[in-house]
Amino acid sequence: NSIGPALESLIAVGATDPRDMVKVAAFYPLPRSGKELFIPGQTWGSGRGPAVSVVAPGVCIVSARNNSAGDGSILGLFSGTSFAAPMAAAAAAMLLSVHPSAEPAEVKTWLQDGAERPWVSLGVYPDILDDEPNDLYGHGRLNVYQSLLTSRIDMQLTAMDSENALGFEEEAFVEALITRRGEPIAGVAVRFISENEDLLKVKWPTAITDDQGRAFAKVIVISDSAEPAEIELRAYAEDAFGRLGFRVSQ
């Protein structure tokens, strides 16, 4: 079937076979290019059209089955987009487990940006796959690892108005800058943890980044120990991690 215009956050998934080729039916019109494929002997085909986001394995997939034959086997080989779509759903769930505040459209973009373009190496259908995305593969075959890399965020920790040296009861503000591909990210929760809470206490341990991707914490020295110490402040935000050292003295 042809997949028509889709909602911005809808992820339409096609099916590929073990060769990384999209499973096509005997007669296969391609709306985007205005052309069509004809491959005799094929009884079913993956969805196609301008709204296809990505494709995923959907031919000869090992899955549980109803043992109605009574042969003792609970596994079988199955095919269809009903098996490709759950793989994309699982990839989306993995991305959301790392980035719980992400919008559906963001997850869709990460899946598309991380997808592989197998038609390039396969050299298949060169006359209809010149465009990217295209009617068969959409943006490409699902690659969860690359999508995770695409979605990752970066963190930069900075001590404000301080040279990272603090004495007893002195305070300092710390800024965490959260970016993705150089662009600031708002709405990300940042957690600040002191390596030694008995010496350097974090007064604002959790903060949310603003529109400029910034989150702030305040730290204070709570010990008057005469022994100088190097204390590390650590910050965590989704898949990003940062550290900043403070020299604490009396």
Side-chain angles (χ1 to χ4, degrees), residues 4-181:
L7 297 173
E8 180 182 358
S9 57
L10 177 67
I11 302 172
V13 183
T16 55
D17 65 19
R19 300 168 298 173
D20 249 353
M21 295 179 65
V22 173
K23 179 67 171 66
V24 298
F27 178 70
Y28 212 81
L30 300 165
R32 192 193 306 270
S33 65
K35 300 179 181 180
E36 62 188 38
L37 292 174
F38 180 73
I39 302 179
Q42 302 296 315
T43 58
W44 71 274
S46 170
R48 83 279 178 185
V52 173
S53 303
V54 294
V55 293
V59 177
C60 295
I61 305 299
V62 177
S63 179
R65 68 168 185 165
N66 182 355
N67 186 25
S68 57
D71 59 3
S73 174
I74 60 172
L75 297 177
L77 290 177
F78 298 89
S79 300
T81 49
S82 296
F83 298 90
M87 295 194 184
M94 185 176 295
L95 287 165
L96 285 170
S97 72
V98 179
H99 308 289
S101 61
E103 296 293 331
E106 289 182 293
V107 175
K108 178 179 178 179
T109 297
W110 297 333
L111 291 176
Q112 293 177 163
D113 288 351
E116 292 189 32
R117 281 69 173 162
W119 64 87
V120 177
S121 59
L122 290 171
V124 294
Y125 317 132
D127 57 332
I128 58 175
L129 296 183
D130 292 337
D131 296 330
E132 186 182 319
N134 57 65
D135 286 338
L136 280 180
Y137 286 88
H139 289 260
R141 199 250 300 127
L142 188 70
N143 185 319
V144 182
Y145 176 69
Q146 289 298 326
S147 292
L148 286 168
L149 291 182
T150 297
S151 71
R152 67 175 297 175
I153 61 177
D154 298 303
M155 177 190 299
Q156 181 180 348
L157 281 184
T158 306
M160 306 170 63
D161 303 322
S162 169
E163 296 182 355
N164 295 37
L166 298 174
F168 179 52
E169 294 187 341
E170 288 186 342
E171 298 178 341
F173 290 93
V174 176
E175 176 190 276
L177 177 63
I178 305 298
T179 59
R180 177 181 289 119
R181 299 180 185 178

Side-chain angles (χ1 to χ4, degrees), residues 157 160 171-176 189-194 197 200-208 214-220 233-236:
L157 281 184
M160 306 170 63
E171 298 178 341
F173 290 93
V174 176
E175 176 190 276
V190 182
R191 186 163 53 101
F192 298 90
I193 299 176
S194 172
E197 285 280 344
L200 186 70
K201 183 175 181 60
V202 182
K203 299 189 72 173
W204 303 339
T206 304
I208 305 296
R214 303 173 305 171
F216 301 95
K218 180 192 284 188
V219 296
I220 181 173
L233 179 70
R234 299 167 183 171
Y236 302 85

